Amino acid sequence: MAALHEEPAEVAAVQPDPEAGTPPPPPAVPPAAAPAAAPATVVEGEATGAGGDAAPLKPAAPGPAASPAALDRQTLVAVLQFLRRSNLRESEEILRREARLLGDDLGATALSPTSAGLLGGSGSEADSGEALLGRGSGAAAVAIGGSVAAVATSSPGVAAVAAVPPGKVGGVVVVEDQPDVSAVLSAYNQQGDPTLYEEYYSGLKHFIECSLDCHRAELSQLFYPLFVHMYLELVYNQHESEAKSFFERFHGDQECYYQDDLRVLSSLTKKEHMKGNETMLDFRTSKFVLRISRDSYQLLKRHLQEKQNNQIWNIVQEHLYIDIFDGMPRSKQQIDAMVGSLAGEAKREANKAKVFFGLLKEPEFDVPLDDEDEEGENEEGKPKKKKPKKDNVGSKSKKQDPNAPPQNRIPLPELKDSDKLDKVMNMKEAARRVRLGPECLPSICFYTFLNAYQGLTAVDITDDSSMIVGGFADSTVRVWSVTPKKLRSVKTAADLSLIDKESDDVLERIMDEKTASELKILYGHSGPVYGTSFSPDRNYLLSCSEDGTVRLWSLQTFTCLVGYKGHNYPVWDTQFSPYGYYFVSGGHDRVARLWATDHYQPLRIFAGHLADVTCTRFHPNSNYIATGSADRTIRLWDVLNGNCVRIFTGHKGPIHSLAFSPNGRFLATGATDGRVLLWDIGHGLMVGELKGHTDTIYALRFSRDGEILASGSMDNTVRLWDAVKAFEDLETDDFTTATGHINLPENSQDLLLGTYMTKSTPVVHLHFTRRNLLLAAGAYSSQ
Amino acid sequence: GHKSSGVGGGREERRFVELPRDSVRLMAESAGLELSDEVAALLAEDVCYRLREATQNSSQFLKHTRRRRLTVEDFNRALRWSNVEAVCGCGSQDSLPFRPLREGDLFFPEDREVNLLELALATNIPKGCAETAVRVHVSYLDGKGNLEPQGAVPSAVSSLSDDLLKYYQHVTRAVLGDDPQLMKVALQDLQSNPKIAALLPYFVYVVSGVKSVSHDLEQLSRLLQLARSLLQNPFLSLGSYVGSLVASVLYCVLEPLAASINPLNDHWTLRDYAAMLLGRIFWSHGELVRGLYQQILLSLQKVLADPVRPLCSHYGAVVGLHALGWKAVERVLYPHLPTYWPNLQAVLDDYSVSNAQVKADGHKVYGAILVAVERLLKAKAQQAPGFGGPEGSPRHSPPGQDPLPELGLGRPLLPGGAAAASSSSSSSSPLSPSLRDMYRELYDFFGDSLAARFGTGAPAEPPSPPGAAEGARKEPPAEGAARKMPQLTNATVSPRDEEPPPPRPERPALHRAPGPPPRPRGTPRAPAGHRPGARDVFQKCRFAPRGPPRFSFVIAGRQTGRRCPGRRFQTNFPQPPAAALGSRYAQRLPMIGRTGRAPRRWPRAEYSLLLLL
């Protein structure tokens, strides 16, 4: 059951293309090849800003040298134009001399629709468009670690062209990171009769509506991408009124979950608007992925051939990626569950990579330390606890999870003594943990932020639930101690030198009692703080902000240690690795970055999302990172090599919360559509849908043993779901695994264990204490 | 787009703000540019697009700030990231009202002028906002139920600093404590302290404690004074707490308090005070809660319409209505009077000893109603166009001289005289029919006591007739608390009462009978009440014949004295019923004659009562 990419043979069959035989120009890497090339593109953060100027030149150079074909002339012209606009006169001169291209020739190649046909040199207008598309998509197919083409920028306007953020372009594979916008747009230089577009579309609509039921659902997937691309073509070619009427006539047919995109689209009415419009670039640079059974696809192909409907066929060829599978067509429900993202579904092979989702082996502890504590507990009169716990510890460390990655797959920091102590504490607490289940629901404590004046934007709670941090819209980060123990900073250097370092309580002595307070305010950011994260050892705190930086704070001195610059745009989320040292951040620039606290530049850049990265989470084994995005997809990235190993589609709105199950097998995601989706990481499948919330879900958390999933939302409720039951009888038979066709249970209500109202307080954060008490946090909002 | 809302083309479905080209041209002109139509249209379209784009981008910031409402700040961030200058001066939390100017198609945000000088030299420096804080509470134990009831007063409004807590404790202790001096100081401070906003919910809660101390008049009145102080504090914005305060105050006004069981307790004063507070809340803070007025009216009406309620509740309802203004009286009390009257009448007509207390209560209610309706009449009269001015005095002066002759009755001093006084002018008065009708109707109920009230309203020299004086003299012993009443509503007799008055659906009484013949004449008397000239004349005519001048006092007592005989006559001498069946005018004449004799009988009745007791 091989996936069919747009094979040249197919293209030739449909449309006698004189250029079909010519080898594709170098930059035009077929999308399928992208993943192969991708691993090399992981950047170890050394790129310089100067790369921005040089980059566009390099990929273009082979163009003229390769062949004098019209296609390459076109490429060259585009590059020359770009150079001229960027005021790189010298480079332009050199290039022109080398290419022996005449100046007046260049002058004629403005962005006018006619010029494309002129340069194309072939009789058919469609052909020239075709050729351009090939080039355009090649330029755009910069998959840095991704299998879908990505443009790793988001800066609107002209900035998108010139400003290549440093650290984005790898030294290994030199690709044209920033496709010249005009070149991309010129892909729409079609010369089809604008008045016929409506006819084409309604013809296809009629055909699909009259097809057999089993095919209709599948073929209906075509409506949306076709609609978008036809509309954009009309707009690009300045048929404003036709575009308007086209939109008016057919936008009602589209699925409701595309409303947001349609709204953006409807505001695009002029060619000028298309430049710098991110959504437009997304449609253009990424192929919309559809999964269609072979039968349905044949039906469609036959129809289009009969009708000689080249316009539509071109779009299908150039802008859509049709993932063909053998077997029964999918039902409407099956399709609806999976679609909704900005670029259609994930290709099946995108989720085929092996993922080591098992947990790492827990390190052995110093037995005496453990024992001493145990005995202390024994004296308190709980001798029985000892045995089962010991067994627990033993079994955990002995058993090697078959799905776990090698222990040293990625280097992890050594455990310090204090870490070990904490682990022991953790285990002791775990022994007293409440066993949750449908019969035994957790108690919920609510941390209400008072007088936050609508400014609370992020919350985190330490693993041992001793501190809570709030990020605020007024750029402050505030740390509270929620235990009677107050927050103290270390003494000044001068005072420290006076301390007797040999004394037993030196750790006590270094603290400055005068600074003890319940609350510490950290100043440093210059914009709303959108994400905060405590380090596992509670010595550090991360915060990310609209100002484009991630800051590392010391919780010993309550000062800022490092400001990590790299995202030049708002950073939406950041999180420490469960083992510390590493952390991840994601932002408006559409990439997620992996950092280590002692490197001021990122170790990995995960690019591939088509819109903002809104939330980031580490896998419990620290080998993977999940990112949720405004493009309505979730991606799982391999920390080791930067590859994207999973793409999950199905949400109908931007994703705002992620949670891995404690055993690492499952992922829960929440979005603005008010639904929680559950994913099996190993198989790369959606395994559940939890409906109930009426607003964006901002917080998701599994209980410590994974029995309960808690979700918190803007709708002022916390809901508890039966996670055991949700994952219980998964039909992971070979067929489902192979095809990705899932059948979700109709009703998720039997999984809902409870709905808990807050007092008009949106739930921003959820946390299970080590004993499985559920902590929720949010700011009281009077409205 | 928040900038401008113009009218675009003729598209049916307009999803976005569209900027008319005129706006663009105006903007250009303000920058000194002339734009052609074409350019303006293009620019307008582009601006619209950019606005939309910025709005769409700004929604991102909204989502990540976990808010529901888009702020100017969000929009400005979007602009800044698109390298566009941010819009300044719109950062207020409240929305700026955007006003169109009729002439000239101008739109402008309404911008209040701020007097910087005043701000800079202001003596009371506003306290900073409360500190952001985290509070934890167990919301659900084992996934079940809320531990805290979801009360009306949100606990999560603010947290108290130590200072505030101390203040709160001291103030509550002082207000409810024994030292009157301390209480005074505390209340004084509550009225003026600008920093106690955070304590407001707590104080409101304290005030709501009235329900638990309904046996203790002293505490009740202190709590009410606390409420009053809160109301007077100009730095407190009561907001949603108005509802809670109103509930507490209404409780004091309407409920049959435990304290009222003992007739020695002067709960009437409390009710009057509470009613005054109610009026004050309504007048000063009524706009804070939508429909508050309606709610209060409704609850007052409910009490009034409930015959099972004790008379003290009815009394509360009446004074409450009175405190809410004459419109409330007109809307609720006035239409309800015909149905209410028989019950009251029954109480008042029962002379049995066991009923004495109830009867005394009934007199209180009667007095309260009287005061209320007179206020209504006055207000009506004042409203009536052309009523007060030119015609008023000429109308009244003549009747001043001739009441007796006109009446032709043996007793010239009586209220009947007053009625007569008005009668002469009535013929010419072009009053609004509603006022006239109203007066007529009310007169049906109250007879001459209504008119008398107008007359005695003046603090100066009302010469009291021997009859009245006699009544007045006797009343004090009969009803000890009477002295107090004038201070309060100046219309209430104060027999204390313990037994809840049984609703007596006795005969509907003949109260309709006492309508004085010159009813229309009665109307002009209303203005007499508030117009000094008219009043003088009127008073003279009424009282002069009778001898030594007296100050008005114990109004209530006198009223009852005068009023009751009026009624009693009807009941005692049932001859007139035949007349009563006839026209109103026909009834009135004999009535007046009878009322004339009233004072004598009344004291007698009092005596008997006293003796029996």
Side-chain angles (χ1 to χ4, degrees):
Chain A
M1 209 174 16
L4 296 191
H5 314 300
E6 5 153 14
E7 299 149 25
E10 293 253 347
V11 178
V14 179
Q15 173 193 331
D17 186 346
E19 284 182 24
T22 57
V29 184
T41 64
V42 175
V43 182
E44 297 270 345
E46 78 308 348
T48 59
D53 294 35
L57 191 57
K58 287 187 181 172
S67 83
L71 167 63
D72 296 316
R73 283 167 63 96
Q74 173 82 19
T75 310
L76 186 64
V77 166
V79 171
L80 284 172
Q81 267 179 352
F82 172 74
L83 291 176
R84 180 186 283 177
R85 249 188 308 142
S86 314
N87 274 333
L88 298 170
R89 292 266 168 223
E90 232 172 89
S91 316
E92 187 197 342
E93 275 306 309
I94 295 168
L95 185 59
R96 187 176 299 170
R97 238 179 290 127
E98 233 175 83
R100 267 159 282 156
L101 205 69
L102 290 177
D104 46 3
D105 195 351
L106 188 65
T109 51
L111 288 172
S112 71
T114 48
S115 68
L118 218 153
L119 280 166
S122 70
S124 144
E125 314 104 3
D127 288 352
S128 80
E130 162 80 40
L132 276 164
L133 287 175
R135 188 241 168 269
S137 63
V142 185
I144 305 181
S147 58
V148 174
V151 177
T153 184
S154 57
S155 62
V158 191
V161 182
V164 180
K168 262 194 189 170
V169 181
V172 190
V173 174
V174 183
V175 282
E176 185 176 348
D177 186 67
Q178 295 297 321
D180 189 338
V181 175
S182 62
V184 172
L185 293 182
S186 63
Y188 283 119
N189 260 334
Q190 300 279 2
Q191 283 300 292
D193 186 346
T195 52
L196 290 179
Y197 273 54
E198 289 191 25
E199 223 167 274
Y200 291 148
Y201 187 88
S202 55
L204 184 74
K205 190 176 149 193
H206 182 254
F207 157 71
I208 290 175
E209 276 167 357
C210 293
S211 60
L212 287 175
D213 280 358
C214 60
H215 299 299
R216 192 192 304 145
E218 288 208 313
L219 292 178
S220 296
Q221 297 178 79
L222 278 167
F223 282 143
Y224 177 66
L226 278 181
F227 171 79
V228 172
H229 285 290
M230 290 174 84
Y231 177 75
L232 288 177
E233 275 189 19
L234 285 172
V235 171
Y236 183 80
N237 292 316
Q238 292 173 315
H239 304 299
E240 204 176 319
S241 57
E242 284 90 349
K244 214 171 251 178
S245 87
F246 182 79
F247 189 91
E248 291 295 321
R249 185 161 166 201
F250 297 116
H251 81 272
D253 300 343
Q254 311 306 326
E255 299 283 356
C256 56
Y257 36 80
Y258 292 121
Q259 279 309 313
D260 286 346
D261 288 344
L262 289 179
R263 198 171 304 133
V264 174
L265 206 62
S266 70
S267 65
L268 267 176
T269 51
K270 289 216 179 304
K271 187 176 167 187
E272 290 74 35
H273 297 160
M274 294 174 73
K275 289 174 200 163
N277 187 300
E278 297 165 36
T279 315
M280 205 293 307
L281 276 177
D282 290 332
F283 284 131
R284 178 58 200 86
T285 54
S286 60
K287 291 205 169 192
F288 198 94
V289 181
L290 306 165
R291 271 189 218 173
I292 291 182
S293 71
R294 186 172 293 284
D295 291 350
S296 304
Y297 180 70
Q298 298 292 356
L299 199 67
L300 173 73
K301 203 165 85 174
R302 213 175 307 130
H303 167 77
L304 291 178
Q305 280 172 352
E306 274 169 19
K307 294 273 170 191
Q308 293 287 308
N309 199 338
N310 285 342
Q311 205 71 34
I312 286 183
W313 185 243
N314 283 343
I315 291 175
V316 169
Q317 284 298 305
E318 298 308 326
H319 296 286
L320 308 188
Y321 177 97
I322 298 185
D323 192 353
I324 299 161
F325 62 86
D326 292 306
M328 285 284 291
R330 292 188 294 171
S331 70
K332 177 99 173 95
Q333 283 78 14
Q334 281 176 320
I335 293 170
D336 277 347
M338 299 298 289
V339 299
S341 98
L342 199 62
E345 295 182 53
K347 294 170 196 168
R348 271 168 306 150
E349 81 270 5
N351 288 336
K352 291 285 182 248
K354 164 122 180 100
V355 174
F356 301 101
F357 56 81
L359 302 184
L360 292 179
K361 204 170 64 171
E362 285 293 316
E364 308 274 344
F365 296 120
D366 298 316
V367 182
L369 192 70
D370 200 8
D371 268 354
E372 268 168 37
D373 279 283
E374 293 266 357
E375 269 154 33
E377 201 169 272
N378 287 349
E379 281 157 26
E380 281 161 26
K382 290 180 181 170
K384 291 208 167 172
K385 292 260 170 182
K386 188 177 173 183
K387 267 223 160 160
K389 192 203 292 173
K390 263 251 147 154
D391 288 349
N392 251 347
V393 175
S395 63
K396 226 177 204 172
S397 48
K398 263 177 231 158
K399 195 175 66 189
Q400 171 69 38
D401 192 330
N403 294 309
Q407 202 69 10
N408 53 359
R409 189 164 176 267
I410 61 164
L412 291 173
E414 288 281 309
L415 278 187
K416 289 175 296 200
D417 280 355
S418 58
D419 295 333
K420 289 175 187 165
L421 209 64
D422 195 54
K423 292 260 183 216
V424 171
M425 286 297 293
N426 190 0
M427 279 175 191
K428 283 168 105 181
E429 293 276 311
R432 300 184 193 164
R433 187 177 292 163
V434 182
R435 284 247 154 240
L436 298 180
E439 306 306 319
C440 179
L441 295 177
S443 301
I444 306 176
C445 279
F446 206 98
Y447 283 87
T448 311
F449 285 74
L450 305 171
N451 308 315
Y453 309 108
Q454 295 271 315
L456 181 74
T457 43
V459 175
D460 195 32
I461 300 176
T462 54
D463 187 69
D464 68 348
S465 319
S466 64
M467 283 186 279
I468 188 169
V469 62
F472 290 85
D474 63 0
S475 315
T476 59
V477 177
R478 290 159 196 254
V479 186
W480 281 271
S481 165
V482 292
T483 61
K485 206 176 135 197
K486 303 217 163 164
L487 302 174
R488 297 172 300 176
S489 9
V490 174
K491 288 178 181 164
T492 59
D495 289 341
L496 281 177
S497 63
L498 302 174
I499 289 174
D500 173 15
K501 286 157 192 85
E502 301 306 314
S503 70
D504 289 340
D505 58 346
V506 68
L507 288 179
E508 253 317 290
R509 290 189 183 198
I510 58 169
M511 307 311 286
D512 188 351
E513 217 35 67
K514 283 183 301 228
T515 60
S517 70
E518 233 179 46
L519 160 70
K520 295 280 184 190
I521 307 181
L522 309 176
Y523 298 100
H525 281 296
S526 59
V529 179
Y530 291 122
T532 51
S533 175
F534 281 109
S535 73
D537 61 4
R538 297 186 296 283
N539 283 327
Y540 303 102
L541 171 69
L542 279 173
S543 64
C544 63
S545 158
E546 189 238 13
D547 62 16
T549 63
V550 180
R551 281 177 185 268
L552 182 74
W553 309 84
S554 163
L555 296 181
Q556 301 293 337
T557 59
F558 295 98
T559 52
C560 183
L561 302 176
V562 195
Y564 299 95
K565 296 174 185 175
H567 293 280
N568 288 326
Y569 293 93
V571 188
W572 297 131
D573 198 10
T574 185
Q575 200 212 6
F576 255 115
S577 144
Y579 293 87
Y581 185 62
Y582 299 111
F583 66 91
V584 62
S585 66
H588 181 63
D589 59 4
R590 304 175 178 204
V591 295
R593 284 158 203 254
L594 178 79
W595 311 72
T597 48
D598 55 359
H599 286 62
Y600 69 92
Q601 283 180 324
L603 306 180
R604 299 282 185 276
I605 293 179
F606 306 109
H609 277 299
L610 299 175
D612 303 32
V613 175
T614 50
C615 50
T616 54
R617 279 293 169 275
F618 262 97
H619 189 277
N621 68 20
S622 200
N623 279 259
Y624 297 92
I625 285 168
T627 55
S629 164
D631 68 7
R632 309 189 283 271
T633 64
I634 299 110
R635 281 168 186 255
L636 191 70
W637 310 86
D638 191 336
V639 167
L640 180 67
N641 51 27
N643 284 347
C644 176
V645 289
R646 290 288 180 271
I647 302 175
F648 295 134
T649 61
H651 271 299
K652 316 289 189 246
I655 287 93
H656 275 278
S657 51
L658 300 166
F660 282 99
S661 69
N663 61 12
R665 278 191 67 189
F666 303 103
L667 176 68
T669 58
T672 57
D673 59 9
R675 302 182 311 149
V676 177
L677 296 183
L678 304 173
W679 310 89
D680 180 336
I681 295 169
H683 295 100
L685 293 175
M686 187 195 294
V687 292
E689 177 193 26
L690 308 177
K691 282 194 247 183
H693 281 292
T694 56
D695 209 334
T696 307
I697 295 161
Y698 279 117
L700 276 175
R701 192 60 78 109
F702 282 96
S703 67
R704 292 278 170 159
D705 294 322
E707 315 96 330
I708 301 270
L709 173 65
S711 60
S713 155
M714 270 301 266
D715 65 9
N716 299 346
T717 61
V718 173
R719 283 169 205 257
L720 300 180
W721 310 87
D722 190 342
V724 175
K725 198 167 167 192
F727 298 132
E728 205 169 40
D729 33 40
L730 294 179
E731 40 156 326
T732 43
D733 55 279
D734 290 344
F735 176 77
T736 313
T737 316
T739 57
H741 301 171
I742 43 140
N743 283 304
L744 292 178
E746 276 296 294
N747 194 359
S748 61
Q749 288 316 298
D750 51 338
L751 296 177
L752 179 63
L753 297 177
T755 302
Y756 302 95
M757 300 289 295
T758 69
K759 292 173 187 170
S760 82
T761 309
V763 185
V764 174
H765 189 76
L766 289 171
H767 176 83
F768 275 96
T769 67
R770 289 170 173 176
R771 297 189 191 183
N772 267 342
L773 172 69
L774 178 56
L775 308 181
Y780 173 75
S781 81
S782 47
Q783 286 145 358
Chain B
H2 66 301
K3 269 185 172 170
S4 161
S5 56
V7 182
R11 276 217 280 161
E12 319 80 31
E13 188 192 339
R14 215 178 308 117
R15 293 154 164 259
F16 303 103
V17 169
E18 292 198 11
L19 207 69
R21 62 184 76 164
D22 294 340
S23 301
V24 174
R25 206 177 299 123
L26 275 176
M27 291 293 251
E29 272 171 25
S30 70
L33 292 174
E34 275 292 325
L35 293 185
S36 70
D37 250 14
E38 202 182 345
V39 174
L42 277 173
L43 269 179
E45 200 170 352
D46 194 60
V47 168
C48 290
Y49 172 74
R50 300 295 162 198
L51 274 178
R52 272 174 232 165
E53 201 180 30
T55 315
Q56 277 153 8
N57 289 342
S58 62
S59 75
Q60 264 187 342
F61 292 97
L62 169 75
K63 278 178 199 150
H64 283 280
T65 324
R66 282 111 162 102
R67 268 184 284 111
R68 287 200 187 86
R69 192 200 256 178
L70 193 73
T71 62
V72 178
E73 190 54 27
D74 293 329
F75 193 81
N76 274 341
R77 279 184 208 293
L79 288 183
R80 235 172 277 142
W81 283 111
S82 334
N83 293 323
V84 178
E85 240 175 87
V87 182
C88 295
C90 302
S92 158
Q93 292 287 320
D94 313 314
S95 56
L96 272 182
F98 205 66
R99 292 277 168 83
L101 194 69
R102 289 256 173 270
E103 319 83 48
D105 286 344
L106 259 183
F107 296 85
F108 61 95
E110 200 176 75
D111 213 353
R112 258 187 328 118
E113 270 183 30
V114 178
N115 189 340
L116 282 180
L117 199 66
E118 244 172 48
L119 263 185
L121 300 178
T123 47
N124 47 48
I125 294 153
K127 191 174 171 282
C129 314
E131 255 312 299
T132 308
V134 181
R135 288 291 172 274
V136 65
H137 54 260
V138 178
S139 305
Y140 295 90
L141 197 59
D142 297 333
K144 287 183 214 76
N146 249 9
L147 286 188
E148 271 176 48
Q150 309 223 4
V153 179
S155 62
V157 171
S158 65
S159 63
L160 295 183
S161 69
D162 288 349
D163 295 346
L164 281 177
L165 204 62
K166 225 177 271 170
Y167 179 87
Y168 169 76
Q169 284 166 349
H170 282 305
V171 165
T172 45
R173 227 171 275 156
V175 169
L176 300 177
D178 294 328
D179 188 345
Q181 201 53 42
L182 209 56
M183 180 182 95
K184 219 170 150 189
V185 172
L187 291 176
Q188 199 62 45
D189 189 65
L190 271 181
Q191 284 175 30
S192 53
N193 196 324
K195 300 180 183 175
I196 55 169
L199 287 173
L200 179 62
Y202 298 88
F203 283 127
V204 168
Y205 180 74
V206 169
V207 171
S208 72
V210 289
K211 283 158 197 164
S212 52
V213 294
S214 75
H215 58 280
D216 190 340
L217 271 184
E218 184 63 21
Q219 296 284 57
L220 283 176
S221 83
R222 280 162 181 236
L223 288 176
L224 285 182
Q225 289 186 49
L226 176 63
R228 181 193 168 134
S229 297
L230 293 178
L231 286 170
Q232 284 179 336
N233 191 326
F235 304 101
L236 287 181
S237 123
L238 292 180
S240 54
Y241 296 109
V242 165
S244 175
L245 275 182
V246 164
S248 303
V249 171
L250 265 184
Y251 180 86
C252 292
V253 173
L254 293 178
E255 287 310 306
L257 305 167
S260 21
I261 293 173
N262 183 354
L264 291 176
N265 279 336
D266 186 12
H267 60 103
W268 307 102
T269 318
L270 183 82
R271 289 180 201 278
D272 291 328
Y273 187 73
M276 182 274 292
L277 263 187
L278 188 67
R280 186 181 285 251
I281 294 177
F282 168 68
W283 291 115
S284 55
H285 298 87
E287 77 286 353
L288 287 180
V289 180
R290 190 167 303 176
L292 182 69
Y293 184 65
Q294 296 300 332
Q295 277 173 29
I296 298 178
L297 281 194
L298 214 64
S299 49
L300 291 177
Q301 184 173 25
K302 230 164 75 185
V303 170
L304 203 59
D306 185 356
V308 186
R309 291 268 194 161
L311 282 175
C312 56
S313 291
H314 292 165
Y315 174 83
V318 174
V319 292
L321 287 169
H322 178 71
L324 288 179
W326 63 270
K327 281 193 177 150
V329 175
E330 185 183 19
R331 267 181 64 179
V332 178
L333 181 60
Y334 176 69
H336 190 61
L337 265 185
T339 42
Y340 184 70
W341 200 258
N343 294 339
L344 184 61
Q345 180 89 33
V347 172
L348 294 180
D349 284 344
D350 186 348
Y351 286 95
S352 65
V353 177
S354 60
N355 190 46
Q357 200 63 59
V358 179
K359 186 154 169 283
D361 284 359
H363 286 311
K364 292 289 280 185
V365 178
Y366 182 94
I369 295 179
L370 190 62
V371 170
V373 297
E374 278 179 8
R375 173 159 179 203
L376 169 64
L377 284 176
K378 277 186 197 174
K380 276 278 174 194
Q382 232 159 0
Q383 278 206 329
F387 178 81
E391 322 147 85
S393 40
R395 217 189 294 146
H396 285 277
S397 37
Q401 280 99 32
D402 61 3
L404 304 184
E406 198 179 295
L407 288 170
L409 296 170
R411 305 260 167 167
L413 69 149
L414 284 189
S422 65
S423 71
S424 64
S425 61
S426 67
S427 52
S428 61
S429 80
L431 288 180
S432 71
S434 69
L435 175 56
R436 188 174 294 191
D437 292 347
M438 190 177 280
Y439 187 81
R440 201 174 289 163
E441 171 125 15
L442 288 174
Y443 202 94
D444 276 346
F445 295 135
F446 295 98
D448 289 331
S449 56
L450 192 58
R453 289 285 300 138
F454 279 89
T456 49
E461 47 68 65
S464 90
E470 189 185 1
R473 249 177 271 131
K474 274 146 201 168
E475 275 148 21
E479 309 159 56
R483 260 175 250 113
K484 271 185 189 164
M485 305 328 298
Q487 321 154 354
L488 305 173
T489 56
N490 91 14
T492 40
V493 183
S494 63
R496 284 136 180 184
D497 180 17
E498 32 196 356
E499 319 125 72
R504 302 198 183 185
E506 294 182 6
R507 62 227 147 111
L510 303 167
H511 65 274
R512 289 238 159 226
R519 181 76 40 68
R521 284 185 229 146
T523 33
R525 203 117 10 86
H530 57 90
R531 306 189 78 254
R535 198 195 299 132
D536 288 346
V537 172
F538 170 61
Q539 277 160 357
K540 233 173 270 164
C541 83
R542 252 182 74 229
F543 295 109
R546 265 300 154 177
R550 280 201 170 235
F551 287 105
S552 70
F553 60 96
V554 201
I555 300 156
R558 226 150 86 241
Q559 284 164 0
T560 47
R562 212 173 294 122
R563 167 182 17 99
C564 287
R567 273 185 309 100
R568 213 146 46 77
F569 262 116
Q570 302 154 32
T571 54
N572 282 357
F573 304 98
Q575 306 102 315
L581 298 175
S583 79
R584 284 192 163 178
Y585 280 95
Q587 303 167 26
R588 246 169 257 138
L589 271 169
M591 276 307 306
I592 289 164
R594 256 171 251 128
T595 46
R597 269 189 270 153
R600 268 198 201 149
R601 288 207 147 235
W602 173 238
R604 240 182 279 145
E606 278 299 306
Y607 278 129
S608 64
L609 238 179
L610 267 179
L611 285 172
L612 283 167
L613 277 171

